[in-house]
Amino acid sequence: MCGIVGYIGNRDAFPVVLNGLKRLEYRGYDSAGIALYDGTDIQMCKTQGKVADLEAKIQQNMPTKGTLGIGHTRWATHGVPNDVNSHPHYSNSGELVIIHNGIIENYASIKKELKKRGYTFTSDTDTEVLVNLIEDIKINEKVKLGKAVQIALNQVVGAYAIAVFDHNKPDEIVVAKLGSPLAIGIGDDEFFVASDATPFIEFTNNAIYLEDEEMAIVRRGREVKVRKIKGDSVVVPYVQELQLNLEQIEKGGYDHFMLKEIYEQPSVIKDTYRGRLLSDQGIIKLGGLDEYIEKFTNANRIIIVACGTSWHAGLVAEYIFEDLARIPVEVEYASEFRYRNPIITEKDVIIAISQSGETADTLAAIKLAKEKGAFVYGVCNVVGSTISRETHSGSYTHAGPEIGVASTKAFTTQITVLTMIALRLAKVKGTISQSDYMMHLHELETIPAKVEEALKSDENIKKISAVFKDARNFLYLGRGYNFPVALEGALKLKEISYIHAEGYPAAEMKHGPIALIDEQMPVVVIAVNSNHYEKVVSNIEEIKARKGKIIALVSEGDTAVKELADYVMEVPITPEALSPLVTTIPLQLLSYHIAVMLDRNVDQPRNLAKSVTVE
Ligand code: M6R
């Protein structure tokens, strides 16, 4: 939640900070602001709205000179989105300026104390409290900015990635991290700070990712100094070489990032298994898994923790792990798991799934599981993210940057990794026959072509979208491996079109949701070839009998469902365990087209943010 960016060096800071905010806008987009030091004064502009609104306001109002600048794009936590609550925030003297991603939980008591000492506040934010606490410490304890930040952070409870500078010391930016991500880009005599590396990718490939409870002083033309916030020890930072490139974070001719990311799926699924799946030799090699294979084979059970779409990928994994590797699996919302005193033993293996690798609840669930002695394996997309560092081992999904707030390629690549893990475990445990194992390996390699094929029905899906775009509700039904796909299809529609949608196991329909069905209700039924096919056909009959409108997703060559359905979307025939990788595609396209037709902001739907770094 919230994106922060900063620059200090020799070039103009404004374009770097502004472009950085545009790239970080996926993290929050209800308000934005920039502060620049122009050599004499601080210039600041803030506004409710998007970064484009900020840009327009700056063009009318603000000089943009200066080689030091910080910027913020907000997803409100404390205080409604408006100009005043937007970041950056000044301290009372006007000397210090701060941007912050996170929540200061004990801000109310600190604010009370500061008020007693004469401080006043213009905003409702916790961040303005923090910058004044830093100022108070700096003045009263007569310390430099870095020390004041450190003392202040030892008094606050919560999560933060902050960047703060002092009008009187415009050669440095002080940054610190706990719970929210913070990367420092290292150029020639220049530094960048940001919530992720995308704002500085065209300037440098070298970055330091601060660990929790670390702070750094980034000084113009000097080395970055990293310290522990508690205890003050010096940290020798690890400078990581980035694998990102500019092309990956641009739209590449598509109208929306979401559409680009949907269409990238054939190639990113291939990237996910490239070098890991050697089908002719019958080998699956996953670096992070091989070393710890016994943790899995000796485990009493696997507990999967995740949120949102990643949780749906976990549900698909539950089917495949139990089906092929015969390991009991529980799938938990990280946000529930962390607070319900779960029973975890050293014989449990936890798999944490997260695209961003920064989701606060998933991170907290990981920490809890580690405290209880469980082995924790991460399945993350963002390289170097907090979850990838906090887990004992793991596998990256290699989907490339996912910018659209609605997760698409992250989901299919997560399932690809989880499928490879399940197949490898099944092989080691001997719970799969050699022929079945080889069949799945070969079939996994055909998935990119099948996804390509599924994408070809885009025009047909667009026509179906036009018919149903004004529906008030949707029902999504699936069984077995495709029940989680029904949940995911409904989530996609909800989050980008704002149409109410529910995913349900098809057989559960008659235990309640069937009451909702009338001639106004579109029901998307996943009815591809599977062990449940006949039963799904019966479910479709039940909906027809109540005049519901059936949009059926069928396998190529289907005849029975086609006769019953009002509208049909087709996908290539795929073994059931791998079918979610293909059935997901038309549902992504359906929600995308409906949202476009309703003129929704597809890449930045209201109230959402890409990465939920607050609980
Ligand atoms: O980065 P993560 O995978 O941990 O994020 C989890 C959810 O916040 C995320 O999947 C969210 O539900 C998406 N907006 C779904 O499209």
Side-chain angles (χ1 to χ4, degrees), residues 226-517:
V226 182
R227 312 189 85 82
K228 288 276 175 209
I229 294 168
K230 288 198 178 108
D232 198 39
S233 54
V234 173
V235 175
V236 180
Y238 170 64
V239 181
Q240 189 165 321
E241 200 178 326
L242 301 170
Q243 295 161 1
L244 274 176
N245 63 50
L246 202 53
E247 212 174 74
Q248 286 176 306
I249 55 171
E250 289 178 342
K251 277 192 208 150
Y254 287 90
D255 287 344
H256 298 96
F257 280 111
M258 182 185 178
L259 190 63
K260 177 188 175 219
E261 287 154 9
I262 291 173
Y263 271 84
E264 277 176 352
Q265 288 174 107
S267 75
V268 293
I269 291 173
K270 223 180 261 174
D271 289 344
T272 305
Y273 66 63
R274 178 169 296 123
R276 293 163 154 179
L277 172 67
L278 310 173
S279 64
D280 288 342
Q281 297 164 56
I283 290 174
I284 289 174
K285 275 197 311 190
L286 285 161
L289 179 67
D290 293 344
E291 202 182 326
Y292 295 100
I293 199 100
E294 283 178 6
K295 292 271 184 201
F296 283 85
T297 51
N298 294 334
N300 279 344
R301 59 180 175 164
I302 292 173
I303 304 173
I304 297 179
V305 291
C307 303
T309 289
S310 298
W311 183 77
H312 294 155
L315 287 180
V316 174
E318 178 179 25
Y319 283 87
I320 196 158
F321 275 102
E322 294 201 341
D323 197 6
L324 302 184
R326 306 303 297 147
I327 303 174
V329 176
E330 287 162 31
V331 188
E332 302 263 6
Y333 284 118
S335 53
E336 289 297 313
F337 179 81
R338 63 180 289 196
Y339 283 122
R340 65 166 177 70
N341 195 12
I343 298 163
I344 310 168
T345 72
E346 289 171 9
K347 293 281 280 175
D348 292 325
V349 165
I350 312 294
I351 300 182
I353 309 173
S354 174
Q355 186 287 127
S356 61
E358 302 295 346
T359 300
D361 284 320
T362 309
L363 199 49
I366 290 168
K367 287 187 177 153
L368 176 68
K370 278 167 76 182
E371 274 162 29
K372 306 242 181 194
F375 173 75
V376 185
Y377 197 85
V379 175
C380 293
N381 186 34
V382 177
V383 175
S385 55
T386 311
I387 292 179
S388 71
R389 295 196 309 266
E390 284 291 328
T391 41
H392 292 114
S393 185
S395 301
Y396 284 118
T397 51
H398 298 312
E402 192 183 64
I403 312 284
V405 164
S407 230
T408 51
K409 62 177 181 170
F411 182 63
T412 44
T413 53
Q414 285 164 347
I415 296 174
T416 305
V417 163
L418 292 160
T419 302
M420 285 192 285
I421 296 174
L423 283 165
R424 173 94 176 93
L425 295 177
K427 177 78 176 140
V428 173
K429 289 188 70 200
T431 51
I432 191 169
S433 69
Q434 179 65 9
S435 59
D436 223 14
Y437 174 73
M438 291 304 286
M439 182 276 282
H440 279 97
L441 261 53
H442 284 295
E443 284 288 343
L444 195 50
E445 273 185 339
T446 69
I447 293 296
K450 288 182 177 172
V451 170
E452 199 90 62
E453 203 50 42
L455 288 167
K456 289 186 185 152
S457 24
D458 201 358
E459 273 310 309
N460 172 39
I461 295 169
K462 212 170 178 175
K463 287 182 192 142
I464 300 173
S465 306
V467 176
F468 291 102
K469 70 178 175 34
D470 295 318
R472 304 282 303 274
N473 300 287
F474 267 74
L475 211 50
Y476 283 71
L477 303 178
R479 289 182 88 126
Y481 280 95
N482 281 296
F483 157 53
V485 177
L487 294 180
E488 174 61 10
L491 176 63
K492 285 292 86 85
L493 188 71
K494 275 184 272 212
E495 64 179 338
I496 62 167
S497 73
Y498 319 148
I499 296 173
H500 170 247
E502 278 192 60
Y504 245 82
E508 271 294 302
M509 188 189 56
K510 51 181 125 14
H511 299 283
I514 199 163
L516 296 168
I517 292 174

Side-chain angles (χ1 to χ4, degrees), residues 7 14 26 50 91 105 243 245 336 401 404 435 471 485 606:
Y7 174 80
F14 175 65
Y26 72 88
K50 308 245 180 227
S91 62
E105 288 168 15
Q243 295 161 1
N245 63 50
E336 289 297 313
S435 59
V485 177
R606 69 182 180 202

Side-chain angles (χ1 to χ4, degrees), residues 2 4 31-34 44-47 71-74 82-89 98-101 125-127:
C2 304
I4 66 170
S31 43
I34 285 182
M44 190 187 290
C45 183
K46 322 198 282 185
T47 187
H72 187 271
T73 177
R74 182 168 186 246
N82 61 23
D83 292 2
V84 176
N85 287 334
S86 309
H87 299 213
H89 287 283
I98 194 169
I99 47 176
H100 169 216
N101 164 207
T125 64
D126 49 346
T127 307

Side-chain angles (χ1 to χ4, degrees), residues 511-569:
H511 299 283
I514 199 163
L516 296 168
I517 292 174
D518 60 17
E519 57 278 11
Q520 309 299 331
M521 176 66 97
V523 187
V524 179
V525 189
I526 306 168
V528 290
N529 289 3
S530 74
N531 287 336
H532 309 285
Y533 180 78
E534 302 299 340
K535 300 205 183 318
V536 177
V537 174
S538 307
N539 297 139
I540 292 176
E541 299 271 18
E542 290 155 10
I543 301 163
K544 284 292 295 177
R546 285 149 187 94
K547 300 196 170 58
K549 294 279 174 294
I550 308 283
I551 307 165
L553 178 54
V554 300
S555 302
E556 272 164 9
D558 179 278
T559 50
V561 172
K562 270 187 184 164
E563 266 178 33
L564 293 171
D566 297 284
Y567 297 88
V568 171
M569 305 181 287

